[in-house]
Amino acid sequence: MTAEQSTQLADLPGGDLDVAKMPGHWLLARLGKRVLRPGGLGLTRALLDDLAIGPDDDVVEFAPGLGVTASMILERKPRRYVGVERDAKAMQWTARQLPHSPNVSVVVGAADQTNQPDGSASVVIGEAMLSMHAQERKRLIAAEAFRLLRPGGRYGIHELAVVPDDIPADQKQEIDGMLSSVIHVGTRSLPEHEWRALLEGVGFRIIASGYAPMHLLRPRRLVQDEGVVGAVRLAKNLLLDGAARRRVLAMRRVFEHYRNNLGAIFLIGQKGLD
């Protein structure tokens, strides 16, 4: 690895942590994975298509991470884009990936208290971040999205889901515990009806939804999300880093063990006109 590559890795969020302690999503990023959403690029594209972002939209994105979705949003040429990222390193990384423009900014802030003005957005989007929070924090984040939106505005989420919809509580708790143990981030996924209830509970009306299997580390999804070159780069980096390989394989074993109970969902809630 060159000195330049080492510097780039250190610039990643969590890049200065030991591999054994690093959150799973930043570990994958360190290895070269750029798409870190549970439903992959396909579900993100479907979400963005249904959000129908256009030149009249002011977009706020919660936790833009590596900036992949932010770049896809900007391809749709919204009037304004603001990314709100709690991690300063992630904020700096995302900002470097995006064009320098007075209408594009990334700021440090909490998703449940963004300090952005009331009604300043027509679209709010957040992916793979609510699943990491306890129920009350989920509600506060959804309520913040509602506050930011103008009447008629849309809130899109893309999150980890457990299936079936009537999964027993003890089984769900077991899955969350196993996921948390391998990705080193607290995971509190929900079945679809509870995701819907979360958004409806703060005032949204659900206007669109979609589902995909959670195949984050399967070879076919890796190629779909990263391209052939990116998938080969990831495989090469895994071969060269034994500690990282052991952690990724442990994640994959858990994903596969619960493959019949893990999925990814997107929902779009709309704020009423009155």
Side-chain angles (χ1 to χ4, degrees):
M1 182 182 297
T2 67
E4 180 181 0
Q5 288 171 320
S6 296
T7 300
Q8 290 172 344
L9 292 179
D11 286 343
L12 280 167
D16 55 346
L17 297 176
D18 182 81
V19 166
K21 300 177 181 177
M22 190 180 298
H25 52 295
W26 295 136
L27 172 65
L28 292 171
R30 181 180 185 270
L31 292 165
K33 190 161 184 11
R34 293 296 174 259
V35 178
L36 303 172
R37 312 314 194 191
L41 278 182
L43 202 63
T44 293
R45 288 193 187 100
L47 170 61
L48 293 178
D49 286 346
D50 281 358
L51 282 169
I53 295 167
D56 294 329
D57 283 309
D58 299 308
V59 181
V60 174
E61 184 181 10
F62 294 160
L66 297 181
V68 173
T69 299
S71 296
M72 296 168 70
I73 291 169
L74 292 176
E75 289 173 359
R76 296 162 188 259
K77 303 190 184 304
R79 179 166 51 198
R80 185 174 65 99
Y81 169 88
V82 178
V84 180
E85 175 59 66
R86 69 174 183 176
D87 185 291
K89 272 195 171 184
M91 181 275 288
Q92 294 164 3
W93 177 280
T94 302
R96 287 196 297 269
Q97 315 310 308
L98 303 182
H100 295 288
S101 165
N103 300 325
V104 176
S105 61
V106 187
V107 300
V108 174
D112 60 349
Q113 193 172 9
T114 63
N115 295 319
Q116 299 294 309
D118 290 3
S120 58
S122 58
V123 174
V124 176
I125 182 171
E127 295 184 285
M129 49 89 65
L130 289 173
S131 300
M132 298 180 184
H133 295 295
Q135 192 65 20
E136 176 59 15
R137 186 82 186 281
K138 286 180 171 68
R139 189 193 67 79
L140 291 173
I141 292 169
E144 178 72 352
F146 192 86
R147 182 188 71 79
L148 292 176
L149 287 167
R150 298 189 281 272
R154 295 93 72 201
Y155 177 37
I157 66 170
H158 170 178
E159 296 291 340
L160 189 66
V162 287
V163 292
D165 221 31
D166 60 351
I167 188 170
D170 58 345
Q171 188 176 358
K172 177 183 170 300
Q173 185 175 9
E174 175 189 321
I175 293 170
D176 282 344
M178 290 301 295
L179 287 172
S180 299
S181 72
V182 293
I183 67 174
H184 296 185
V185 175
T187 303
R188 298 170 181 89
S189 50
L190 300 176
E192 180 177 349
H193 77 278
E194 291 187 26
W195 282 120
R196 286 176 174 269
L198 173 73
L199 299 195
E200 291 168 345
V202 299
F204 287 108
R205 176 175 65 91
I206 304 300
I207 59 171
S209 64
Y211 177 84
M214 214 295 282
H215 289 169
L216 185 70
L217 295 179
R218 287 194 175 185
R220 183 176 179 182
R221 174 70 65 77
L222 288 172
V223 172
Q224 290 172 341
D225 286 349
E226 311 296 333
V228 174
V229 173
V232 170
R233 179 180 62 239
L234 177 62
K236 179 182 177 182
N237 289 338
L238 280 170
L239 286 172
L240 295 174
D241 190 331
R245 182 172 65 252
R246 286 189 289 274
R247 279 209 57 200
V248 172
L249 289 175
M251 284 190 277
R252 191 176 189 280
R253 281 194 295 271
V254 171
F255 295 164
E256 290 301 311
H257 182 75
Y258 293 107
R259 62 187 178 275
N260 294 326
N261 298 112
L262 288 175
I265 188 172
F266 86 72
L267 292 171
I268 298 175
Q270 186 172 43
K271 185 172 182 175
L273 295 173
D274 48 13

